[in-house]
Amino acid sequence: MTERPTRVLLTGATGFIGGRLLPALDAAGFTVRCLVRPGEKLVVRRPLARQPEVVTADLLDAGSLPAALAGMEAAYYLVHSMGGRTIGEIEAFAERDRRAAANFLAAAEGAGLARIVYLGGLGETGPNLSHHLASRLEVARILQSGARVRTTALRAAVIIGAGGASFELLRYLVERLPVMTVPRWIDTRCQPIAVDDVIAYLVGCLENPATAGLTLDIGGPEVITYRKMMRIYARVRGLRRLIVGVPVLTPRLSAHWINLVTPVPAGVVYPLVEGLKNEVICRDERIRELIPIPLTPMDASVCAALAETAAGPGKLPSRQSCFLDH
């Protein structure tokens, strides 16, 4: 497809990214159909020019998907599983992601979709890649294996935005702990990106047909360590914090420690913490030419996230207000 699609299916419409992408797609003139799971309700964050159609389907139920995809030209795949503290639990979540992606691809091919846009995660391939990041790469491979539909896979680093699990971890740790004892992952390099920049890239992928079928890294303008990320947050908030590294602290112990301080469930914290050992930086800069947007620095990203938080800067939200990244 060389023309810009107009009818778009949005999965994950109730999530951290999907809830922001819906109004952006509406503003860009797309006709959007939102897929929600049985029992979910779509809550629209901002006024829309056109109310989206809402359909109910379960990605693990292949029979529920053809009707949801009928008549669509493109789709955003913004769903993933996360959780588990044992190898068995993690493998079960990975298997669910595998099945969901295969079901969705088969339904998309059957419906004649031209494009899928998938938001996954950065991470170097290899035996040391975390289970969580490896699963995200596997989903990308599945979605890009279609015979007709062309899938664009965006690989994002840490996403900075109010309500995102990664940002809420950062926020709670720095707000609540004047002295932090952290393991070696504190000096792992990453390339955090503002959530608004992620949304701009997601919309831009459908605006620019040259992105079809590509795997593209997306990150912010700075490559920094997690230690510096914490220091930037503290500086923005006017907080004095001491960060002390320790040579040995396993992902399991780190997850338990973080779970005591933050509202993020341990089953979500563990795969996130396991991934902190892996550098998540952009190796491919093609996205900057294909979709040229001004990138938001880390300090401005933190300011925007704090301003968006309903509780206000410096006041911590309830446990129920923290969501998964996607």
Side-chain angles (χ1 to χ4, degrees), residues 13-50:
T14 61
F16 168 54
I17 297 295
R20 290 169 164 81
L21 183 57
L22 174 57
L25 291 171
D26 178 71
F30 293 97
T31 299
V32 183
R33 175 187 293 169
C34 295
L35 185 153
V36 300
R37 290 174 295 183
E40 277 190 326
K41 291 184 179 180
L42 179 67
V43 178
V44 179
R45 295 172 180 265
R46 304 169 190 168
L48 303 177
R50 295 166 298 278

PDB file of all heavy atoms in Angstrom, residues 13-50:
ATOM      1  N   ALA A  13      -6.127   0.036  23.464  1.00  0.00           N
ATOM      2  CA  ALA A  13      -6.657   1.404  23.512  1.00  0.00           C
ATOM      3  C   ALA A  13      -6.858   1.915  24.928  1.00  0.00           C
ATOM      4  O   ALA A  13      -6.969   3.130  25.143  1.00  0.00           O
ATOM      5  CB  ALA A  13      -7.984   1.479  22.753  1.00  0.00           C
ATOM      6  N   THR A  14      -6.914   1.017  25.916  1.00  0.00           N
ATOM      7  CA  THR A  14      -7.120   1.437  27.295  1.00  0.00           C
ATOM      8  C   THR A  14      -5.806   1.596  28.056  1.00  0.00           C
ATOM      9  O   THR A  14      -5.808   1.922  29.239  1.00  0.00           O
ATOM     10  CB  THR A  14      -7.999   0.416  28.046  1.00  0.00           C
ATOM     11  OG1 THR A  14      -7.336  -0.861  28.059  1.00  0.00           O
ATOM     12  CG2 THR A  14      -9.357   0.252  27.370  1.00  0.00           C
ATOM     13  N   GLY A  15      -4.675   1.380  27.381  1.00  0.00           N
ATOM     14  CA  GLY A  15      -3.389   1.381  28.065  1.00  0.00           C
ATOM     15  C   GLY A  15      -2.667   2.707  28.055  1.00  0.00           C
ATOM     16  O   GLY A  15      -3.164   3.723  27.562  1.00  0.00           O
ATOM     17  N   PHE A  16      -1.462   2.676  28.589  1.00  0.00           N
ATOM     18  CA  PHE A  16      -0.620   3.857  28.742  1.00  0.00           C
ATOM     19  C   PHE A  16      -0.337   4.522  27.393  1.00  0.00           C
ATOM     20  O   PHE A  16      -0.458   5.746  27.248  1.00  0.00           O
ATOM     21  CB  PHE A  16       0.683   3.413  29.420  1.00  0.00           C
ATOM     22  CG  PHE A  16       1.792   4.424  29.412  1.00  0.00           C
ATOM     23  CD1 PHE A  16       1.598   5.710  29.894  1.00  0.00           C
ATOM     24  CD2 PHE A  16       3.053   4.075  28.945  1.00  0.00           C
ATOM     25  CE1 PHE A  16       2.641   6.641  29.896  1.00  0.00           C
ATOM     26  CE2 PHE A  16       4.097   4.984  28.950  1.00  0.00           C
ATOM     27  CZ  PHE A  16       3.877   6.276  29.420  1.00  0.00           C
ATOM     28  N   ILE A  17       0.022   3.734  26.382  1.00  0.00           N
ATOM     29  CA  ILE A  17       0.294   4.272  25.051  1.00  0.00           C
ATOM     30  C   ILE A  17      -0.996   4.430  24.255  1.00  0.00           C
ATOM     31  O   ILE A  17      -1.257   5.476  23.653  1.00  0.00           O
ATOM     32  CB  ILE A  17       1.277   3.370  24.285  1.00  0.00           C
ATOM     33  CG1 ILE A  17       2.629   3.323  25.002  1.00  0.00           C
ATOM     34  CG2 ILE A  17       1.451   3.859  22.845  1.00  0.00           C
ATOM     35  CD1 ILE A  17       3.355   4.650  25.040  1.00  0.00           C
ATOM     36  N   GLY A  18      -1.815   3.405  24.232  1.00  0.00           N
ATOM     37  CA  GLY A  18      -3.035   3.443  23.431  1.00  0.00           C
ATOM     38  C   GLY A  18      -3.974   4.577  23.797  1.00  0.00           C
ATOM     39  O   GLY A  18      -4.588   5.202  22.927  1.00  0.00           O
ATOM     40  N   GLY A  19      -4.079   4.862  25.087  1.00  0.00           N
ATOM     41  CA  GLY A  19      -4.951   5.948  25.518  1.00  0.00           C
ATOM     42  C   GLY A  19      -4.502   7.303  25.019  1.00  0.00           C
ATOM     43  O   GLY A  19      -5.309   8.219  24.832  1.00  0.00           O
ATOM     44  N   ARG A  20      -3.207   7.454  24.787  1.00  0.00           N
ATOM     45  CA  ARG A  20      -2.672   8.699  24.231  1.00  0.00           C
ATOM     46  C   ARG A  20      -2.708   8.701  22.702  1.00  0.00           C
ATOM     47  O   ARG A  20      -2.837   9.754  22.071  1.00  0.00           O
ATOM     48  CB  ARG A  20      -1.228   8.905  24.706  1.00  0.00           C
ATOM     49  CG  ARG A  20      -1.089   9.238  26.185  1.00  0.00           C
ATOM     50  CD  ARG A  20       0.361   9.146  26.626  1.00  0.00           C
ATOM     51  NE  ARG A  20       0.601   9.795  27.905  1.00  0.00           N
ATOM     52  CZ  ARG A  20       0.352   9.257  29.083  1.00  0.00           C
ATOM     53  NH1 ARG A  20      -0.156   8.030  29.140  1.00  0.00           N
ATOM     54  NH2 ARG A  20       0.588   9.923  30.202  1.00  0.00           N
ATOM     55  N   LEU A  21      -2.554   7.519  22.125  1.00  0.00           N
ATOM     56  CA  LEU A  21      -2.528   7.432  20.667  1.00  0.00           C
ATOM     57  C   LEU A  21      -3.894   7.694  20.053  1.00  0.00           C
ATOM     58  O   LEU A  21      -3.977   8.279  18.959  1.00  0.00           O
ATOM     59  CB  LEU A  21      -2.018   6.050  20.251  1.00  0.00           C
ATOM     60  CG  LEU A  21      -1.858   5.788  18.757  1.00  0.00           C
ATOM     61  CD1 LEU A  21      -0.933   6.818  18.115  1.00  0.00           C
ATOM     62  CD2 LEU A  21      -1.356   4.369  18.507  1.00  0.00           C
ATOM     63  N   LEU A  22      -4.971   7.283  20.719  1.00  0.00           N
ATOM     64  CA  LEU A  22      -6.310   7.473  20.169  1.00  0.00           C
ATOM     65  C   LEU A  22      -6.597   8.926  19.796  1.00  0.00           C
ATOM     66  O   LEU A  22      -6.963   9.210  18.646  1.00  0.00           O
ATOM     67  CB  LEU A  22      -7.364   6.922  21.138  1.00  0.00           C
ATOM     68  CG  LEU A  22      -8.827   7.191  20.760  1.00  0.00           C
ATOM     69  CD1 LEU A  22      -9.153   6.636  19.388  1.00  0.00           C
ATOM     70  CD2 LEU A  22      -9.763   6.614  21.830  1.00  0.00           C
ATOM     71  N   PRO A  23      -6.453   9.894  20.708  1.00  0.00           N
ATOM     72  CA  PRO A  23      -6.720  11.279  20.305  1.00  0.00           C
ATOM     73  C   PRO A  23      -5.750  11.798  19.243  1.00  0.00           C
ATOM     74  O   PRO A  23      -6.121  12.649  18.432  1.00  0.00           O
ATOM     75  CB  PRO A  23      -6.595  12.074  21.610  1.00  0.00           C
ATOM     76  CG  PRO A  23      -5.893  11.190  22.567  1.00  0.00           C
ATOM     77  CD  PRO A  23      -6.193   9.790  22.156  1.00  0.00           C
ATOM     78  N   ALA A  24      -4.520  11.289  19.238  1.00  0.00           N
ATOM     79  CA  ALA A  24      -3.558  11.720  18.219  1.00  0.00           C
ATOM     80  C   ALA A  24      -3.978  11.224  16.842  1.00  0.00           C
ATOM     81  O   ALA A  24      -3.871  11.951  15.843  1.00  0.00           O
ATOM     82  CB  ALA A  24      -2.166  11.209  18.571  1.00  0.00           C
ATOM     83  N   LEU A  25      -4.468   9.985  16.760  1.00  0.00           N
ATOM     84  CA  LEU A  25      -4.958   9.464  15.490  1.00  0.00           C
ATOM     85  C   LEU A  25      -6.199  10.212  15.035  1.00  0.00           C
ATOM     86  O   LEU A  25      -6.360  10.517  13.841  1.00  0.00           O
ATOM     87  CB  LEU A  25      -5.268   7.967  15.620  1.00  0.00           C
ATOM     88  CG  LEU A  25      -4.073   7.037  15.797  1.00  0.00           C
ATOM     89  CD1 LEU A  25      -4.549   5.628  16.133  1.00  0.00           C
ATOM     90  CD2 LEU A  25      -3.201   7.029  14.551  1.00  0.00           C
ATOM     91  N   ASP A  26      -7.070  10.515  15.970  1.00  0.00           N
ATOM     92  CA  ASP A  26      -8.278  11.279  15.649  1.00  0.00           C
ATOM     93  C   ASP A  26      -7.914  12.663  15.105  1.00  0.00           C
ATOM     94  O   ASP A  26      -8.468  13.114  14.098  1.00  0.00           O
ATOM     95  CB  ASP A  26      -9.147  11.406  16.898  1.00  0.00           C
ATOM     96  CG  ASP A  26     -10.395  12.229  16.668  1.00  0.00           C
ATOM     97  OD1 ASP A  26     -11.300  11.745  15.971  1.00  0.00           O
ATOM     98  OD2 ASP A  26     -10.443  13.374  17.168  1.00  0.00           O
ATOM     99  N   ALA A  27      -6.959  13.317  15.751  1.00  0.00           N
ATOM    100  CA  ALA A  27      -6.532  14.643  15.306  1.00  0.00           C
ATOM    101  C   ALA A  27      -5.884  14.594  13.931  1.00  0.00           C
ATOM    102  O   ALA A  27      -5.958  15.564  13.165  1.00  0.00           O
ATOM    103  CB  ALA A  27      -5.558  15.247  16.322  1.00  0.00           C
ATOM    104  N   ALA A  28      -5.263  13.459  13.599  1.00  0.00           N
ATOM    105  CA  ALA A  28      -4.605  13.311  12.302  1.00  0.00           C
ATOM    106  C   ALA A  28      -5.581  12.908  11.196  1.00  0.00           C
ATOM    107  O   ALA A  28      -5.170  12.769  10.039  1.00  0.00           O
ATOM    108  CB  ALA A  28      -3.483  12.285  12.401  1.00  0.00           C
ATOM    109  N   GLY A  29      -6.847  12.690  11.549  1.00  0.00           N
ATOM    110  CA  GLY A  29      -7.861  12.411  10.541  1.00  0.00           C
ATOM    111  C   GLY A  29      -8.134  10.949  10.272  1.00  0.00           C
ATOM    112  O   GLY A  29      -8.867  10.620   9.329  1.00  0.00           O
ATOM    113  N   PHE A  30      -7.595  10.034  11.083  1.00  0.00           N
ATOM    114  CA  PHE A  30      -7.868   8.620  10.895  1.00  0.00           C
ATOM    115  C   PHE A  30      -9.230   8.251  11.482  1.00  0.00           C
ATOM    116  O   PHE A  30      -9.665   8.835  12.481  1.00  0.00           O
ATOM    117  CB  PHE A  30      -6.789   7.770  11.567  1.00  0.00           C
ATOM    118  CG  PHE A  30      -5.432   7.873  10.934  1.00  0.00           C
ATOM    119  CD1 PHE A  30      -4.469   8.726  11.453  1.00  0.00           C
ATOM    120  CD2 PHE A  30      -5.117   7.117   9.819  1.00  0.00           C
ATOM    121  CE1 PHE A  30      -3.217   8.826  10.879  1.00  0.00           C
ATOM    122  CE2 PHE A  30      -3.861   7.205   9.228  1.00  0.00           C
ATOM    123  CZ  PHE A  30      -2.912   8.066   9.757  1.00  0.00           C
ATOM    124  N   THR A  31      -9.875   7.268  10.882  1.00  0.00           N
ATOM    125  CA  THR A  31     -11.088   6.679  11.440  1.00  0.00           C
ATOM    126  C   THR A  31     -10.661   5.475  12.279  1.00  0.00           C
ATOM    127  O   THR A  31     -10.064   4.528  11.750  1.00  0.00           O
ATOM    128  CB  THR A  31     -12.052   6.232  10.332  1.00  0.00           C
ATOM    129  OG1 THR A  31     -12.434   7.370   9.554  1.00  0.00           O
ATOM    130  CG2 THR A  31     -13.294   5.585  10.924  1.00  0.00           C
ATOM    131  N   VAL A  32     -10.940   5.509  13.561  1.00  0.00           N
ATOM    132  CA  VAL A  32     -10.363   4.533  14.487  1.00  0.00           C
ATOM    133  C   VAL A  32     -11.432   3.598  15.038  1.00  0.00           C
ATOM    134  O   VAL A  32     -12.514   4.032  15.443  1.00  0.00           O
ATOM    135  CB  VAL A  32      -9.647   5.245  15.660  1.00  0.00           C
ATOM    136  CG1 VAL A  32      -8.981   4.220  16.572  1.00  0.00           C
ATOM    137  CG2 VAL A  32      -8.612   6.242  15.141  1.00  0.00           C
ATOM    138  N   ARG A  33     -11.105   2.324  15.044  1.00  0.00           N
ATOM    139  CA  ARG A  33     -11.895   1.305  15.740  1.00  0.00           C
ATOM    140  C   ARG A  33     -11.035   0.777  16.878  1.00  0.00           C
ATOM    141  O   ARG A  33      -9.881   0.385  16.667  1.00  0.00           O
ATOM    142  CB  ARG A  33     -12.276   0.164  14.791  1.00  0.00           C
ATOM    143  CG  ARG A  33     -13.003  -0.994  15.495  1.00  0.00           C
ATOM    144  CD  ARG A  33     -13.188  -2.156  14.533  1.00  0.00           C
ATOM    145  NE  ARG A  33     -14.103  -1.823  13.459  1.00  0.00           N
ATOM    146  CZ  ARG A  33     -14.291  -2.571  12.365  1.00  0.00           C
ATOM    147  NH1 ARG A  33     -13.599  -3.702  12.220  1.00  0.00           N
ATOM    148  NH2 ARG A  33     -15.129  -2.193  11.428  1.00  0.00           N
ATOM    149  N   CYS A  34     -11.557   0.775  18.094  1.00  0.00           N
ATOM    150  CA  CYS A  34     -10.792   0.338  19.266  1.00  0.00           C
ATOM    151  C   CYS A  34     -11.181  -1.077  19.661  1.00  0.00           C
ATOM    152  O   CYS A  34     -12.376  -1.378  19.808  1.00  0.00           O
ATOM    153  CB  CYS A  34     -11.043   1.285  20.447  1.00  0.00           C
ATOM    154  SG  CYS A  34     -10.430   2.959  20.175  1.00  0.00           S
ATOM    155  N   LEU A  35     -10.185  -1.923  19.829  1.00  0.00           N
ATOM    156  CA  LEU A  35     -10.414  -3.279  20.304  1.00  0.00           C
ATOM    157  C   LEU A  35     -10.173  -3.311  21.806  1.00  0.00           C
ATOM    158  O   LEU A  35      -9.100  -2.929  22.281  1.00  0.00           O
ATOM    159  CB  LEU A  35      -9.477  -4.249  19.587  1.00  0.00           C
ATOM    160  CG  LEU A  35      -9.658  -5.751  19.875  1.00  0.00           C
ATOM    161  CD1 LEU A  35      -9.171  -6.578  18.685  1.00  0.00           C
ATOM    162  CD2 LEU A  35      -8.912  -6.192  21.129  1.00  0.00           C
ATOM    163  N   VAL A  36     -11.174  -3.760  22.557  1.00  0.00           N
ATOM    164  CA  VAL A  36     -11.030  -3.898  24.006  1.00  0.00           C
ATOM    165  C   VAL A  36     -11.351  -5.336  24.389  1.00  0.00           C
ATOM    166  O   VAL A  36     -12.091  -6.042  23.699  1.00  0.00           O
ATOM    167  CB  VAL A  36     -11.947  -2.929  24.777  1.00  0.00           C
ATOM    168  CG1 VAL A  36     -11.620  -1.482  24.428  1.00  0.00           C
ATOM    169  CG2 VAL A  36     -13.417  -3.212  24.497  1.00  0.00           C
ATOM    170  N   ARG A  37     -10.786  -5.768  25.492  1.00  0.00           N
ATOM    171  CA  ARG A  37     -11.042  -7.112  25.974  1.00  0.00           C
ATOM    172  C   ARG A  37     -12.416  -7.200  26.620  1.00  0.00           C
ATOM    173  O   ARG A  37     -12.952  -6.195  27.072  1.00  0.00           O
ATOM    174  CB  ARG A  37      -9.963  -7.513  26.984  1.00  0.00           C
ATOM    175  CG  ARG A  37      -8.589  -7.729  26.366  1.00  0.00           C
ATOM    176  CD  ARG A  37      -7.541  -7.967  27.424  1.00  0.00           C
ATOM    177  NE  ARG A  37      -7.343  -6.792  28.260  1.00  0.00           N
ATOM    178  CZ  ARG A  37      -6.444  -6.707  29.223  1.00  0.00           C
ATOM    179  NH1 ARG A  37      -5.669  -7.733  29.502  1.00  0.00           N
ATOM    180  NH2 ARG A  37      -6.322  -5.606  29.926  1.00  0.00           N
ATOM    181  N   PRO A  38     -12.994  -8.400  26.675  1.00  0.00           N
ATOM    182  CA  PRO A  38     -14.289  -8.556  27.345  1.00  0.00           C
ATOM    183  C   PRO A  38     -14.237  -8.012  28.769  1.00  0.00           C
ATOM    184  O   PRO A  38     -13.310  -8.297  29.525  1.00  0.00           O
ATOM    185  CB  PRO A  38     -14.501 -10.076  27.330  1.00  0.00           C
ATOM    186  CG  PRO A  38     -13.719 -10.554  26.147  1.00  0.00           C
ATOM    187  CD  PRO A  38     -12.511  -9.661  26.076  1.00  0.00           C
ATOM    188  N   GLY A  39     -15.209  -7.198  29.116  1.00  0.00           N
ATOM    189  CA  GLY A  39     -15.265  -6.611  30.448  1.00  0.00           C
ATOM    190  C   GLY A  39     -14.584  -5.272  30.564  1.00  0.00           C
ATOM    191  O   GLY A  39     -14.753  -4.571  31.572  1.00  0.00           O
ATOM    192  N   GLU A  40     -13.787  -4.872  29.572  1.00  0.00           N
ATOM    193  CA  GLU A  40     -13.116  -3.572  29.604  1.00  0.00           C
ATOM    194  C   GLU A  40     -14.035  -2.483  29.062  1.00  0.00           C
ATOM    195  O   GLU A  40     -14.900  -2.728  28.218  1.00  0.00           O
ATOM    196  CB  GLU A  40     -11.846  -3.593  28.756  1.00  0.00           C
ATOM    197  CG  GLU A  40     -10.632  -4.150  29.443  1.00  0.00           C
ATOM    198  CD  GLU A  40      -9.388  -3.905  28.600  1.00  0.00           C
ATOM    199  OE1 GLU A  40      -9.479  -3.923  27.363  1.00  0.00           O
ATOM    200  OE2 GLU A  40      -8.308  -3.708  29.199  1.00  0.00           O
ATOM    201  N   LYS A  41     -13.813  -1.270  29.550  1.00  0.00           N
ATOM    202  CA  LYS A  41     -14.506  -0.102  29.026  1.00  0.00           C
ATOM    203  C   LYS A  41     -13.487   0.898  28.512  1.00  0.00           C
ATOM    204  O   LYS A  41     -12.439   1.088  29.115  1.00  0.00           O
ATOM    205  CB  LYS A  41     -15.385   0.547  30.106  1.00  0.00           C
ATOM    206  CG  LYS A  41     -16.585  -0.284  30.519  1.00  0.00           C
ATOM    207  CD  LYS A  41     -17.467   0.463  31.512  1.00  0.00           C
ATOM    208  CE  LYS A  41     -18.683  -0.361  31.893  1.00  0.00           C
ATOM    209  NZ  LYS A  41     -19.556   0.363  32.863  1.00  0.00           N
ATOM    210  N   LEU A  42     -13.806   1.531  27.391  1.00  0.00           N
ATOM    211  CA  LEU A  42     -12.910   2.524  26.820  1.00  0.00           C
ATOM    212  C   LEU A  42     -13.171   3.869  27.478  1.00  0.00           C
ATOM    213  O   LEU A  42     -14.296   4.377  27.459  1.00  0.00           O
ATOM    214  CB  LEU A  42     -13.132   2.637  25.311  1.00  0.00           C
ATOM    215  CG  LEU A  42     -12.262   3.672  24.597  1.00  0.00           C
ATOM    216  CD1 LEU A  42     -10.799   3.249  24.634  1.00  0.00           C
ATOM    217  CD2 LEU A  42     -12.729   3.866  23.160  1.00  0.00           C
ATOM    218  N   VAL A  43     -12.142   4.445  28.079  1.00  0.00           N
ATOM    219  CA  VAL A  43     -12.224   5.776  28.671  1.00  0.00           C
ATOM    220  C   VAL A  43     -11.392   6.713  27.809  1.00  0.00           C
ATOM    221  O   VAL A  43     -10.180   6.530  27.675  1.00  0.00           O
ATOM    222  CB  VAL A  43     -11.714   5.789  30.126  1.00  0.00           C
ATOM    223  CG1 VAL A  43     -11.764   7.199  30.698  1.00  0.00           C
ATOM    224  CG2 VAL A  43     -12.536   4.826  30.983  1.00  0.00           C
ATOM    225  N   VAL A  44     -12.024   7.696  27.209  1.00  0.00           N
ATOM    226  CA  VAL A  44     -11.342   8.616  26.304  1.00  0.00           C
ATOM    227  C   VAL A  44     -10.758   9.764  27.105  1.00  0.00           C
ATOM    228  O   VAL A  44     -11.457  10.416  27.891  1.00  0.00           O
ATOM    229  CB  VAL A  44     -12.311   9.152  25.231  1.00  0.00           C
ATOM    230  CG1 VAL A  44     -11.596  10.132  24.305  1.00  0.00           C
ATOM    231  CG2 VAL A  44     -12.901   7.997  24.431  1.00  0.00           C
ATOM    232  N   ARG A  45      -9.452  10.017  26.933  1.00  0.00           N
ATOM    233  CA  ARG A  45      -8.741  11.016  27.730  1.00  0.00           C
ATOM    234  C   ARG A  45      -9.079  12.446  27.321  1.00  0.00           C
ATOM    235  O   ARG A  45      -9.073  13.350  28.145  1.00  0.00           O
ATOM    236  CB  ARG A  45      -7.229  10.809  27.583  1.00  0.00           C
ATOM    237  CG  ARG A  45      -6.713   9.499  28.154  1.00  0.00           C
ATOM    238  CD  ARG A  45      -5.252   9.301  27.778  1.00  0.00           C
ATOM    239  NE  ARG A  45      -4.717   8.051  28.311  1.00  0.00           N
ATOM    240  CZ  ARG A  45      -4.055   7.962  29.458  1.00  0.00           C
ATOM    241  NH1 ARG A  45      -3.855   9.034  30.184  1.00  0.00           N
ATOM    242  NH2 ARG A  45      -3.599   6.804  29.880  1.00  0.00           N
ATOM    243  N   ARG A  46      -9.325  12.671  26.017  1.00  0.00           N
ATOM    244  CA  ARG A  46      -9.513  14.035  25.516  1.00  0.00           C
ATOM    245  C   ARG A  46     -10.694  14.068  24.564  1.00  0.00           C
ATOM    246  O   ARG A  46     -11.065  13.042  23.986  1.00  0.00           O
ATOM    247  CB  ARG A  46      -8.242  14.503  24.783  1.00  0.00           C
ATOM    248  CG  ARG A  46      -6.989  14.437  25.631  1.00  0.00           C
ATOM    249  CD  ARG A  46      -5.746  14.658  24.779  1.00  0.00           C
ATOM    250  NE  ARG A  46      -4.531  14.369  25.532  1.00  0.00           N
ATOM    251  CZ  ARG A  46      -3.328  14.264  24.973  1.00  0.00           C
ATOM    252  NH1 ARG A  46      -3.185  14.430  23.670  1.00  0.00           N
ATOM    253  NH2 ARG A  46      -2.269  13.993  25.718  1.00  0.00           N
ATOM    254  N   PRO A  47     -11.287  15.239  24.342  1.00  0.00           N
ATOM    255  CA  PRO A  47     -12.386  15.347  23.364  1.00  0.00           C
ATOM    256  C   PRO A  47     -11.912  14.934  21.975  1.00  0.00           C
ATOM    257  O   PRO A  47     -10.794  15.248  21.562  1.00  0.00           O
ATOM    258  CB  PRO A  47     -12.746  16.837  23.416  1.00  0.00           C
ATOM    259  CG  PRO A  47     -12.246  17.321  24.730  1.00  0.00           C
ATOM    260  CD  PRO A  47     -11.022  16.523  25.032  1.00  0.00           C
ATOM    261  N   LEU A  48     -12.776  14.210  21.255  1.00  0.00           N
ATOM    262  CA  LEU A  48     -12.440  13.722  19.925  1.00  0.00           C
ATOM    263  C   LEU A  48     -13.368  14.338  18.890  1.00  0.00           C
ATOM    264  O   LEU A  48     -14.529  14.630  19.177  1.00  0.00           O
ATOM    265  CB  LEU A  48     -12.561  12.196  19.866  1.00  0.00           C
ATOM    266  CG  LEU A  48     -11.718  11.393  20.859  1.00  0.00           C
ATOM    267  CD1 LEU A  48     -12.018   9.911  20.718  1.00  0.00           C
ATOM    268  CD2 LEU A  48     -10.233  11.656  20.651  1.00  0.00           C
ATOM    269  N   ALA A  49     -12.855  14.505  17.688  1.00  0.00           N
ATOM    270  CA  ALA A  49     -13.693  14.991  16.591  1.00  0.00           C
ATOM    271  C   ALA A  49     -14.673  13.917  16.151  1.00  0.00           C
ATOM    272  O   ALA A  49     -15.818  14.218  15.773  1.00  0.00           O
ATOM    273  CB  ALA A  49     -12.813  15.418  15.414  1.00  0.00           C
ATOM    274  N   ARG A  50     -14.261  12.647  16.216  1.00  0.00           N
ATOM    275  CA  ARG A  50     -15.109  11.515  15.826  1.00  0.00           C
ATOM    276  C   ARG A  50     -15.022  10.447  16.914  1.00  0.00           C
ATOM    277  O   ARG A  50     -13.914  10.041  17.290  1.00  0.00           O
ATOM    278  CB  ARG A  50     -14.627  10.921  14.491  1.00  0.00           C
ATOM    279  CG  ARG A  50     -14.753  11.856  13.303  1.00  0.00           C
ATOM    280  CD  ARG A  50     -13.953  11.339  12.112  1.00  0.00           C
ATOM    281  NE  ARG A  50     -12.527  11.267  12.444  1.00  0.00           N
ATOM    282  CZ  ARG A  50     -11.720  12.331  12.392  1.00  0.00           C
ATOM    283  NH1 ARG A  50     -12.197  13.506  12.035  1.00  0.00           N
ATOM    284  NH2 ARG A  50     -10.443  12.219  12.719  1.00  0.00           N
TER     285      ARG A  50
END
